[in-house]
Amino acid sequence: MLLMVNDVDVAYGRAQVLHQISIAVDEGERVFMVGRNGAGKTTLLKTIAGFLAPSHGSIVFAGRPIAGLPAEEVARGGIRYVFQDKRVFTKLTVRENIEIAAHAAKIRLAEAIERVVEIYPKMTRFLDSPAGGLSGGQRQLLLLGRALLGQPRLLLIDEPTEGLSAGAIDEVFDVLEKSKGTVAMVIVEQNLSVVRQLADRVYAVKEGRVCSEYRDMAAIADPSVLEGVL
Amino acid sequence: MISVVAYGLTVGAILYIISIGLSLTFGTMRIVNFAHALIYTMGAYVLFTMLRVTGGNFVLAAIVGVAAAVPLAWAIERFVIRRLYGQSIDYAIIGTYAVLLIGVDATKWIWGATPLPLSDPIGKYVNVLGVDLPVYRLVVIALAVLIFAGLELFFRRTVVGKIVVAGLEDKDAVRSLGIRVDSYFSLVFILGSCLAALGGILYAPITTIHPYMGTHVLLLSFAVVLVGGLGSMRGTLVASFALGMVMAVTGRVWGPAAEAMVFAVMAVVLVLKPIEV
Ligand SMILES: Nc1ncnc2c1ncn2[C@@H]1O[C@H](COP(=O)(O)OP(=O)(O)O)[C@@H](O)[C@H]1O
Ligand SMILES: [Mg+2]
């Protein structure tokens, strides 16, 4: 297993939000987390990414315990976290957004731009525009491109298609689809059609606990199956 | 009139040089740093001592004064501020204020409490539209403009500068790329502190050196930072020169009101444009 989250509790101050969560992700596997707003999906990703420390339990990535490590060290170990709400550096241009990720990944800017453009060819048009002016879909593609530059072994993505138009959802979908097998992913997603088409495995989260796990996508094709958690 | 403008620009220049570090420290670390005033004062005192040691070489003494800020700022950042990261902002205020008080007393112990006068290091005048202006003040104004240009270049053209700009907007997103952003912020802290020392050094020949000089100027500097916008580099420049002019013009009409007017302007700006933190 590439990632093992074992029996993890997480609290904000005194309010415990995650209860005995355990999940596992294999090398190259694409795992989705579904659940209602407030269920604790973002909290779980932030905990894996090192932005929150669990009060109990362990997180092991590539054989190394990472619970409680600062986020930048977790990232350096090979994990990239793409935040919810499409947080690009709005005051910098698209090129500069890529430049910072390239610097972090220790690759040349020209090569980095080439790789982002390969993922999303239309990005060439916006290279010198402020990233703050991009549409939601373009921002998400920039974030995915930026994250992939670091050649992570695990990518954590929080609600990549939230608030996007149908066309933008397709573009994001294509990028996630194409990177199959090269990088493991844990994706929080509310759009069940995206989940059904891309997931290798699905965890349903309810009130801070993993309530079920689905390996068979045919099983969740029936809309009534996930109704109780969504 | 010309001399009022020149005075306003000089005060504005000094305010800019001091305030930019304060503003950046707040923008990056979310810390209100009272110890900034101590670095400003120390710069002036080290200048004073080095002028004696070097037999009056102002440039060399100033360089040593600025360099002396590096270890001091490093120690304050490492041993006080870093321990207050993520805590309530009140702790940072109390912690750095304590450093300031200790520093002021240490200054009195080393150099005494009596104000120390310094003479104008250039001592020449230039005639502008019929008014004799000290060349030194024009040099101070030019330095402030150069520093602004240098910082703009640094933050817009270098990757390190861009990382800091990105970190000002979204620190966690920078961290999620595997960048140890706190060490870049420490660098900015030390840079800002060096500028505070430079501010003290440049202002010393215009007034006198005394243990409370930093404490005094810090309040004006807070006004600049609040008016200019926390963490805004251009806003700080504009606010510095605007408030410098306010001081000069008010001082011309009624001396004692000069500083009060700065805070009046600050209050008006805050009412019109409340701070979003
Ligand atoms: N910073 C925070 N401080 C306190 N409570 C929080 C914080 N962030 C989230 N929560 C609470 O934790 C719970 C889980 O939130 P979150 O992980 O964001 O859920 P999801 O991503 O599944 O919508 C919610 O009840 C939310 O109100
Ligand atoms: Mg969420």
Side-chain angles (χ1 to χ4, degrees):
Chain A
M1 280 291 154
L2 179 64
L3 175 76
M4 276 188 293
V5 174
N6 280 317
D7 208 14
V8 158
D9 291 347
V10 179
Y12 294 103
R14 278 196 214 144
Q16 187 171 343
V17 168
L18 298 187
H19 306 267
Q20 296 133 35
I21 292 247
S22 297
I23 68 165
V25 180
D26 220 339
E27 202 90 46
E29 192 185 19
R30 217 157 28 198
V31 172
F32 279 75
M33 316 285 310
V34 298
R36 288 197 187 117
N37 277 333
K41 307 174 301 290
T42 295
T43 303
L44 176 59
L45 291 197
K46 283 193 175 172
T47 306
I48 299 169
F51 289 101
L52 295 167
S55 53
H56 178 266
S58 71
I59 304 175
V60 178
F61 174 70
R64 201 175 82 142
I66 58 164
L69 278 188
E72 49 273 45
E73 304 310 324
V74 171
R76 283 168 171 253
I79 296 180
R80 284 290 179 279
Y81 173 44
V82 177
F83 284 84
Q84 197 168 357
D85 299 327
K86 319 194 171 46
R87 285 154 64 172
V88 295
F89 304 127
T90 57
K91 291 185 187 126
L92 299 176
T93 63
V94 170
R95 188 189 301 279
E96 289 169 329
N97 268 267
I98 298 170
E99 184 180 0
I100 288 175
H103 178 80
K106 299 191 173 64
I107 55 176
R108 285 180 310 109
L109 177 58
E111 186 192 334
I113 289 176
E114 223 168 81
R115 276 167 48 185
V116 173
V117 167
E118 199 181 302
I119 291 172
Y120 183 56
K122 284 184 205 154
M123 201 61 92
T124 39
R125 276 192 262 153
F126 311 113
L127 284 176
D128 293 304
S129 323
L134 297 181
S135 70
Q138 291 159 352
R139 285 181 185 219
Q140 191 63 56
L141 291 158
L142 173 59
L143 289 173
L144 290 173
R146 239 171 54 173
L148 287 168
L149 286 179
Q151 293 188 312
R153 288 172 75 184
L154 174 65
L155 194 53
L156 310 169
I157 317 175
D158 205 343
E159 308 230 7
T161 68
E162 189 188 18
L164 298 189
S165 67
I169 291 178
D170 287 344
E171 286 173 327
V172 170
F173 182 95
D174 283 345
V175 172
L176 297 178
E177 164 93 285
K178 270 189 216 140
S179 42
K180 182 171 179 64
T182 58
V183 48
M185 297 184 191
V186 178
I187 306 175
V188 171
E189 182 57 71
Q190 313 260 23
N191 182 327
L192 288 186
S193 118
V194 170
V195 175
R196 284 190 197 104
Q197 294 175 70
L198 289 179
D200 293 323
R201 211 144 47 78
V202 177
Y203 287 105
V205 183
K206 192 173 182 181
E207 287 159 11
R209 300 171 195 272
V210 171
C211 63
S212 29
E213 180 186 345
Y214 305 92
R215 293 173 177 279
D216 179 10
M217 287 314 111
I220 62 167
D222 176 358
S224 65
V225 172
L226 282 173
E227 248 164 36
V229 279
L230 288 174
Chain B
M1 187 59 213
I2 298 281
S3 62
V4 171
V5 172
Y7 179 67
L9 290 179
T10 312
V11 172
I14 300 281
L15 282 178
Y16 173 70
I17 293 171
I18 304 160
S19 307
I20 189 66
L22 208 58
S23 186
L24 286 173
T25 302
F26 186 84
T28 51
M29 299 170 164
R30 302 277 136 180
I31 283 220
V32 178
N33 176 26
F34 277 75
H36 206 63
L38 174 64
I39 309 254
Y40 171 87
T41 309
M42 292 301 291
Y45 275 103
V46 172
L47 172 80
F48 182 83
T49 299
M50 287 313 293
L51 278 174
R52 289 198 177 161
V53 173
T54 62
N57 185 332
F58 189 87
V59 173
L60 185 59
I63 290 172
V64 175
V66 170
V70 174
L72 187 58
W74 180 84
I76 292 171
E77 201 273 333
R78 184 73 187 77
F79 297 113
V80 181
I81 291 181
R82 201 168 285 191
R83 295 180 181 219
L84 300 172
Y85 266 157
Q87 305 273 358
S88 151
I89 203 160
D90 309 347
Y91 291 121
I93 292 174
I94 295 166
T96 58
Y97 191 60
V99 171
L100 173 61
L101 291 181
I102 294 167
V104 167
D105 276 345
T107 313
K108 284 196 235 171
W109 187 62
I110 301 171
W111 283 283
T114 331
L116 308 171
L118 271 193
S119 55
D120 184 324
I122 298 179
K124 290 201 176 67
Y125 289 79
V126 54
N127 194 292
V128 179
L129 303 174
V131 182
D132 277 335
L133 296 177
V135 172
Y136 178 70
R137 294 194 178 190
L138 301 180
V139 170
V140 169
I141 297 166
L143 268 176
V145 173
L146 271 179
I147 287 167
F148 174 73
L151 289 176
E152 284 281 299
L153 273 181
F154 173 66
F155 285 111
R156 281 172 207 287
R157 294 275 177 267
T158 70
V159 69
V160 172
K162 289 171 193 175
I163 287 171
V164 174
V165 172
L168 274 165
E169 180 178 347
D170 192 341
K171 179 179 172 181
D172 282 347
V174 178
R175 296 175 67 203
S176 76
L177 292 168
I179 295 172
R180 292 175 179 136
V181 72
D182 282 340
S183 51
Y184 291 91
F185 285 178
S186 305
L187 192 79
V188 170
F189 181 83
I190 290 174
L191 179 74
S193 296
C194 287
L195 289 174
L198 180 65
I201 288 165
L202 293 176
Y203 204 41
I206 297 174
T207 55
T208 56
I209 300 175
H210 60 92
Y212 294 98
M213 63 187 283
T215 320
H216 179 204
V217 87
L218 186 71
L219 294 176
L220 292 172
S221 194
F222 279 145
V224 166
V225 170
L226 289 174
V227 170
L230 299 157
S232 161
M233 283 174 269
R234 289 182 182 176
T236 304
L237 181 82
V238 173
S240 299
F241 281 104
L243 292 179
M245 290 313 284
V246 167
M247 273 180 78
V249 171
T250 318
R252 183 58 173 264
V253 180
W254 189 39
E259 288 180 11
M261 193 55 109
V262 168
F263 296 108
V265 171
M266 177 186 89
V268 170
V269 170
L270 288 183
V271 168
L272 296 179
K273 187 183 76 81
I275 308 175
E276 309 130 24
V277 178

